[in-house]
Amino acid sequence: MSEQVQSYGQASYGLSAGERNKVLRNTYWLLALSLLPTVLGAWIGVATGITASLTGFVGLIVFLAGAFGFIYAIEKTKNSAAGVPVLLGFTFFMGLMLSRLIAMVLGFKNGADLVMTAFAGTAGVFFVMASLATVIKRDLSGMGKWLFVGAIVLMVGGIINVFVGSSTGMIVISMLAIGIFSAYMLYDIKQIIDGGETNYISATLALYLDIVNVFQSLLALLGIFGGERD
C-alpha cells in the first residue's frame, strides 16, 4: 500500500476516488446480501427453538467459538473466491444466535412491533452515520483505538453480566453498545471512503458487526422498557 498522505485533513492512502467508490459500492451490495442469511437464520431459530437451550455459560461458549472461528476464516479467505460464502455462512450463524433474543421479544403482545422498531432504528442510525461519513472531511482514523478499547470493555462487561444476570447491567451495556457501535459505523464507512480499507469483504464484516450490535442492543432495550405482556 502506498504511503499515507494527508490532503486537506483527509487521508487518501494513495487510492483514486474511483477505486474507493468501487470498494464502498461492493461493500454496500454485500452488506445488503448478508442480511438475507441473517433473516433466514433468525427465522429458523425462532421457528425451531434450536437456540432456546443456549443459555448462560454454554450459550456464551457456542457464540464466542462460532463468531471468532468465522471471523478468523473470513480474514483468511477474504482475498479468494471462498470469502463471500464464508461471510454469508457467518451471517446465517449470527441470525441463529439472534433468534433467542428475537423469540423472547416476540413473546410480548407487541413483540413484532418492537422488532420492526429496532430494525427501523438501526437503519436510521446507519443512514445518519453513512451521511456524516460523506460530509466529514477530517481524518477519523485516530478514533479506531479508542473504539476498540470501548468494544473490549463492552465484551468483558457482557461476559460478566451473563453470569450476574443483572437487568440494570444489561441496560447500561446496551446503551453503551448503541453509542460505541454507532460511532464504529461512522469510523468504518469513513475508512472506506478515505481508502483506509481496500477489501470489501473485510469492510462488510466490520459494518455488519456494527449493525448487529446496534440492532440487538436496541431490541433488548425495547423489550425491557416497551414489552407488553398479555
Side-chain angles (χ1 to χ4, degrees):
M1 181 179 293
S2 10
E3 183 181 356
Q4 179 177 343
V5 249
Q6 297 295 327
S7 174
Y8 303 105
Q10 181 178 4
S12 65
Y13 297 89
L15 295 178
S16 69
E19 290 172 321
R20 298 197 300 270
N21 287 336
K22 182 179 179 181
V23 175
L24 185 63
R25 184 171 60 252
N26 289 341
T27 298
Y28 282 163
W29 274 111
L30 184 55
L31 185 63
L33 179 62
S34 71
L35 297 181
L36 298 179
T38 305
V39 172
L40 177 62
W43 180 80
I44 290 175
V46 171
T48 64
I50 193 172
T51 61
S53 61
L54 296 179
T55 58
F57 182 73
V58 174
L60 178 64
I61 292 300
V62 170
F63 172 74
L64 291 178
F68 283 108
F70 266 113
I71 290 172
Y72 176 80
I74 291 166
E75 286 301 312
K76 284 295 184 181
T77 59
K78 65 183 181 181
N79 294 312
S80 70
V84 170
V86 174
L87 175 66
L88 296 180
F90 171 63
T91 64
F92 176 80
F93 169 78
M94 289 299 290
L96 283 175
M97 293 297 100
L98 282 170
S99 66
R100 185 168 174 269
L101 172 61
I102 292 173
M104 289 174 61
V105 173
L106 288 175
F108 293 117
K109 184 170 62 175
N110 60 336
D113 291 338
L114 295 179
V115 172
M116 292 307 298
T117 300
F119 179 80
T122 304
V125 170
F126 181 83
F127 176 78
V128 170
M129 293 302 124
S131 299
L132 283 175
T134 62
V135 298
I136 293 176
K137 299 304 180 185
R138 62 177 299 181
D139 177 21
L140 300 182
S141 58
M143 288 174 57
K145 59 183 177 181
W146 300 108
L147 291 174
F148 179 74
V149 170
I152 293 297
V153 170
L154 273 178
M155 185 173 71
V156 172
I159 291 173
I160 292 173
N161 201 54
V162 166
F163 299 99
V164 175
S166 167
S167 296
T168 302
M170 177 175 282
I171 292 170
V172 172
I173 290 170
S174 296
M175 292 178 68
L176 289 174
I178 291 170
I180 289 173
F181 287 102
S182 294
Y184 246 129
M185 282 186 204
L186 173 63
Y187 169 80
D188 288 330
I189 296 171
K190 192 71 165 64
Q191 282 292 96
I192 301 168
I193 292 174
D194 290 349
E197 178 56 78
T198 59
N199 185 285
Y200 72 95
I201 293 178
S202 290
T204 302
L205 173 62
L207 283 174
Y208 178 83
L209 290 172
D210 300 339
I211 288 170
V212 166
N213 277 285
V214 170
F215 172 77
Q216 69 176 5
S217 298
L218 272 174
L219 188 57
L221 288 176
L222 288 169
I224 292 171
F225 291 110
E228 298 176 2
R229 300 191 180 276
D230 292 326

